[in-house]
Amino acid sequence: MSETMKAAIFVKPGEMTVEEVPKARVEEPTDAMIRVVRTCVCGSDLWYFRGLSGHAEHSQIGHEAIGVIEEVGSAVESFHVGDFVVVPFPYSCGTCPVCKAGVESCCPHGGYFGANQAEYVRVPEADGTLVKVPGSPEDYDDATLASLLTISDVMSTGYHAAVSAEVKAGDTAVVMGDGAVGLCGVIAAKMLGATRIIAMSRHEDRAALAREFGATDVVAERDQEAVDKVLAMTGGYGADAVLECVGSKQSFDTAVGLARAGAVIGRVGLPHDVTISAEGSFYRNLGIKGGPAPVRHYDLGGLLDAVLNHEIDPGRVFTAEYDLDHIQDAYEDMDQRRVIKSIIRF
Amino acid sequence: MSETMKAAIFVKPGEMTVEEVPKARVEEPTDAMIRVVRTCVCGSDLWYFRGLSGHAEHSQIGHEAIGVIEEVGSAVESFHVGDFVVVPFPYSCGTCPVCKAGVESCCPHGGYFGANQAEYVRVPEADGTLVKVPGSPEDYDDATLASLLTISDVMSTGYHAAVSAEVKAGDTAVVMGDGAVGLCGVIAAKMLGATRIIAMSRHEDRAALAREFGATDVVAERDQEAVDKVLAMTGGYGADAVLECVGSKQSFDTAVGLARAGAVIGRVGLPHDVTISAEGSFYRNLGIKGGPAPVRHYDLGGLLDAVLNHEIDPGRVFTAEYDLDHIQDAYEDMDQRRVIKSIIRF
């Protein structure tokens, strides 16, 4: 009889549960299998939980994790049993032209994780996917583990927004979205040298954290009022860079409205019903860049070190902790905005 | 009685003429007035000539020019009577945050020229607009004057496509459009280090010039066939950078299809009925940048020197020469693709 493990199960919109399912295992020579140390709930999981996007009912879910390797396939060369690793939400071959261009999140030989809210996770293409952390989980305190978990997705995604928006030293950057990604976007904008960081937030707890992360201003207005306010704050010219961390048409249109001519909108919010008017953006030389974050590219390119050196502290986006058995609470509390982001410990 | 000058007049689609009109003059203290030495017909003028875009009937037209300053307003500081200058197609204040960010073509205090196919041109915001050329027109041969004329628009626009597409050393770049801008885009892609340059062209004369400018491959196919061909040429991954120098929906969709995940489409073709699917481009991390070229930024940033040092020879896009009295022929020959681009000498 095969082994089992506990896993979060998406029953239907609004309902999560935990069940025993067949334990994740190495299936291909290039796989690794990880014992999960921390996982969490993503804003994009809430799209399913709220019934706004489709997800197979009664199926596993989750794409963020850090953990320890329990088993490696025969073809895995760079990782070994016992290694402590970050599991980026996309898996990738690491060797094709797309990966070599630093866009691992679009590797045609890769894909996205979708069963990481569980005790164990199968990692395809382990060599091209995982990010090694020195030592073992026991060497780190809870705060550092939380920050390490963010570089499996939200911190890397916020960073992708800032890089895509081409934030540079001295810029005024606007961050659309005060979820965990937007808050990490504030950290990222600061890392890239923005001197004025305007966080769009109408939630006191999130606005406060945004300020602690480096936001110099908070704008609670929306739509044309938000545009007017940012224009007034920038002498009428608009923001040098915009991090679009929501994905709604409302947010995107606001981003276009408050961007300076020639600015780039770095978008990482999954687009929902967004259409881009080619003409409107053309005459203002507005750029649009972004997509799923190439997590591994950024983790190896500096984010892992920034966390380990305590230069950044993105784990603070986790404002409540749960065990896997309380996965329903972890979703519900985030859905109801009682917490910014829910972390699951094992 | 006020002085007059000869000017090209757009009578209606398909019909150009030349008439005596009031001579251009300094109207504001920040103006200069230029005697035109060379002007030309732009692909965008053909949109009017073909009746595909609206243009006021019986009005002046044209936005490309080089010339000699005849008069300056009292507030002009950097230019003097007798200076030889390139007149970029946008005028700009040169001092606001948009101009300082290098996006002079979107200066909120500026605009576009529209009466440059004439003996004399009024230049608003002369200090922030003009580009000084050493010496006088008599110091240069016809070929160099032609190349200087291209950096009032098409060469700078092709360069903007390449910069916007983020072409870098070693890239495979695709250039959509074999008009003068696309051909200049080939030159620009080569300047930025692309080692494989695929020109999309189905006209023998243009394809030949593209090859002389640095194209390593020419693809005559369109739509899905073009996508398939470029994918086959790039191991199935797509082009690292795409210069979209047409502006039609057909061209844009092809650009999206043949771009590598993570590539940026640098667009300079005036968009006509182009809608960008936010979701389709998001998951492939496709970027879209570009718009009206900040001509002065690029001219002062290297294009003027590249022309004067004969490193580039973009004036070769002019394959026929006319005097202003033959403006109808200049438009018709270009419309019928008998010439690539028509130059007008005085």
Side-chain angles (χ1 to χ4, degrees):
Chain A
M1 196 183 129
S2 64
E3 288 181 279
T4 64
M5 66 175 183
K6 278 209 256 189
I9 299 290
F10 174 85
V11 180
K12 62 182 182 187
E15 189 178 338
M16 296 293 304
T17 191
V18 174
E19 291 186 3
E20 289 286 330
V21 301
K23 185 178 173 183
R25 60 186 178 82
V26 165
E27 296 174 16
E28 301 286 337
T30 47
D31 288 355
M33 192 274 281
I34 312 288
R35 173 175 59 81
V36 175
V37 171
R38 295 283 190 285
T39 182
C40 50
V41 181
C42 184
S44 64
D45 295 329
L46 292 184
W47 281 88
Y48 308 130
F49 189 74
R50 290 169 176 165
L52 299 172
S53 294
H55 190 286
E57 299 202 348
H58 213 92
S59 65
Q60 277 191 251
I61 189 170
H63 55 266
E64 296 156 290
I66 55 173
V68 176
I69 296 180
E70 282 235 337
E71 193 185 344
V72 290
S74 57
V76 175
E77 295 183 351
S78 311
F79 295 93
H80 305 92
V81 171
D83 282 353
F84 180 28
V85 290
V86 174
V87 185
F89 77 84
Y91 60 91
S92 49
C93 75
T95 57
C96 75
V98 172
C99 287
K100 283 188 177 161
V103 201
E104 289 95 328
S105 44
C106 298
C107 171
H109 317 289
Y112 303 131
F113 286 94
N116 286 9
Q117 290 163 6
E119 288 182 301
Y120 299 92
V121 166
R122 174 188 162 231
V123 177
E125 302 287 351
D127 277 329
T129 299
L130 294 171
V131 175
K132 180 147 174 45
V133 184
S136 69
E138 293 70 34
D139 300 331
Y140 300 95
D141 59 19
D142 278 350
T144 307
L145 291 176
S147 286
L148 287 169
L149 179 58
T150 67
I151 66 168
S152 74
D153 184 350
V154 285
M155 181 61 223
S156 311
T157 296
Y159 197 78
H160 190 44
V163 169
S164 298
E166 301 181 3
V167 175
K168 60 185 189 314
D171 272 359
T172 293
V174 168
V175 181
M176 309 287 305
D178 63 0
V181 170
L183 292 167
C184 290
V186 170
I187 297 175
K190 189 175 178 186
M191 290 174 82
L192 295 178
T195 44
R196 187 168 197 185
I197 301 172
I198 303 169
M200 310 297 265
S201 176
R202 45 174 56 192
H203 302 97
E204 219 170 275
D205 55 338
R206 294 157 190 247
L209 190 51
R211 285 190 189 276
E212 290 182 50
F213 280 163
T216 53
D217 303 87
V218 172
V219 168
E221 285 79 357
R222 285 191 181 171
D223 301 318
Q224 191 58 44
E225 283 181 7
V227 170
D228 291 343
K229 191 144 186 188
V230 171
L231 289 179
M233 295 167 82
T234 54
Y237 293 101
D240 301 310
V242 186
L243 287 65
E244 203 293 291
C245 306
V246 179
S248 68
K249 177 166 169 46
Q250 179 187 39
S251 175
F252 191 84
D253 289 347
T254 305
V256 167
L258 56 75
R260 171 177 52 66
V264 180
I265 298 169
R267 58 182 181 139
V268 295
L270 302 186
H272 291 87
D273 298 323
V274 176
T275 307
I276 301 166
S277 153
E279 304 197 22
S281 52
F282 181 86
Y283 289 102
R284 291 176 59 218
N285 257 292
L286 291 185
I288 300 147
K289 288 168 66 178
V295 172
R296 187 172 196 253
H297 180 70
Y298 294 131
D299 287 359
L300 297 176
L303 288 184
L304 175 62
D305 285 344
V307 166
L308 294 179
N309 298 334
H310 301 289
E311 294 159 26
I312 59 174
D313 197 11
R316 296 180 63 199
V317 296
F318 296 112
T319 54
E321 187 180 288
Y322 307 81
D323 59 22
L324 191 62
D325 289 331
H326 291 83
I327 189 72
Q328 173 75 16
D329 295 337
Y331 272 72
E332 251 182 42
D333 289 349
M334 217 171 127
D335 176 43
Q336 298 299 317
R337 296 188 195 274
R338 287 189 289 263
V339 310
I340 298 178
K341 190 172 173 72
S342 305
I343 190 168
I344 315 292
R345 65 184 298 162
F346 291 84
Chain B
M1 195 185 131
S2 66
E3 287 181 278
T4 63
M5 67 176 183
K6 276 207 254 189
I9 299 290
F10 174 83
V11 180
K12 63 183 182 187
E15 189 177 340
M16 296 293 304
T17 190
V18 175
E19 291 187 4
E20 288 287 329
V21 300
K23 186 178 173 183
R25 61 187 178 83
V26 165
E27 297 175 16
E28 302 285 336
T30 47
D31 288 355
M33 190 275 280
I34 312 288
R35 173 176 58 82
V36 175
V37 171
R38 296 282 189 286
T39 184
C40 50
V41 181
C42 184
S44 64
D45 295 329
L46 292 182
W47 282 88
Y48 309 130
F49 189 74
R50 290 168 178 164
L52 300 171
S53 295
H55 190 286
E57 299 201 346
H58 213 92
S59 65
Q60 277 191 251
I61 188 169
H63 55 266
E64 296 156 290
I66 55 175
V68 175
I69 297 181
E70 283 236 336
E71 193 185 345
V72 290
S74 58
V76 175
E77 294 182 351
S78 312
F79 295 93
H80 305 92
V81 171
D83 282 354
F84 180 28
V85 291
V86 174
V87 185
F89 76 85
Y91 61 91
S92 50
C93 77
T95 57
C96 74
V98 172
C99 286
K100 282 188 177 160
V103 200
E104 290 95 328
S105 45
C106 298
C107 171
H109 317 289
Y112 302 131
F113 286 94
N116 286 9
Q117 289 163 7
E119 288 183 301
Y120 299 92
V121 166
R122 175 189 161 230
V123 178
E125 302 288 352
D127 277 330
T129 299
L130 294 170
V131 175
K132 179 148 175 44
V133 184
S136 70
E138 293 69 36
D139 300 331
Y140 299 94
D141 59 19
D142 278 350
T144 306
L145 292 176
S147 286
L148 287 169
L149 180 58
T150 67
I151 66 168
S152 74
D153 183 351
V154 285
M155 182 61 224
S156 311
T157 296
Y159 197 77
H160 190 45
V163 169
S164 298
E166 301 181 5
V167 174
K168 59 184 189 316
D171 271 1
T172 293
V174 168
V175 181
M176 310 287 304
D178 63 359
V181 171
L183 292 167
C184 290
V186 170
I187 296 175
K190 189 173 178 188
M191 291 175 83
L192 295 178
T195 44
R196 189 168 195 186
I197 302 172
I198 303 169
M200 309 298 265
S201 176
R202 45 174 56 193
H203 301 97
E204 216 169 279
D205 55 337
R206 294 157 190 247
L209 190 51
R211 285 190 188 275
E212 289 181 49
F213 280 163
T216 54
D217 303 86
V218 173
V219 167
E221 285 79 357
R222 286 191 180 172
D223 302 317
Q224 191 57 44
E225 283 182 5
V227 170
D228 292 343
K229 191 143 185 189
V230 170
L231 289 178
M233 293 166 84
T234 54
Y237 293 100
D240 301 310
V242 186
L243 288 67
E244 204 292 291
C245 306
V246 179
S248 68
K249 176 165 168 46
Q250 179 187 40
S251 176
F252 192 83
D253 289 348
T254 304
V256 167
L258 56 76
R260 170 176 54 65
V264 180
I265 298 170
R267 57 182 181 138
V268 295
L270 303 185
H272 291 87
D273 299 322
V274 176
T275 307
I276 302 167
S277 154
E279 305 199 19
S281 52
F282 181 86
Y283 289 102
R284 293 176 58 217
N285 257 293
L286 291 186
I288 300 147
K289 288 168 67 179
V295 172
R296 188 173 195 253
H297 181 70
Y298 295 131
D299 287 359
L300 297 176
L303 288 184
L304 175 63
D305 285 345
V307 166
L308 295 179
N309 298 334
H310 300 290
E311 294 160 24
I312 59 174
D313 197 10
R316 296 180 63 199
V317 297
F318 296 112
T319 54
E321 189 178 288
Y322 306 82
D323 59 22
L324 191 61
D325 290 330
H326 290 84
I327 191 72
Q328 173 75 16
D329 295 336
Y331 271 72
E332 251 183 41
D333 289 349
M334 220 172 126
D335 176 44
Q336 299 298 316
R337 296 188 195 274
R338 287 189 289 262
V339 309
I340 298 178
K341 190 170 173 74
S342 304
I343 190 168
I344 317 290
R345 67 183 296 160
F346 291 84

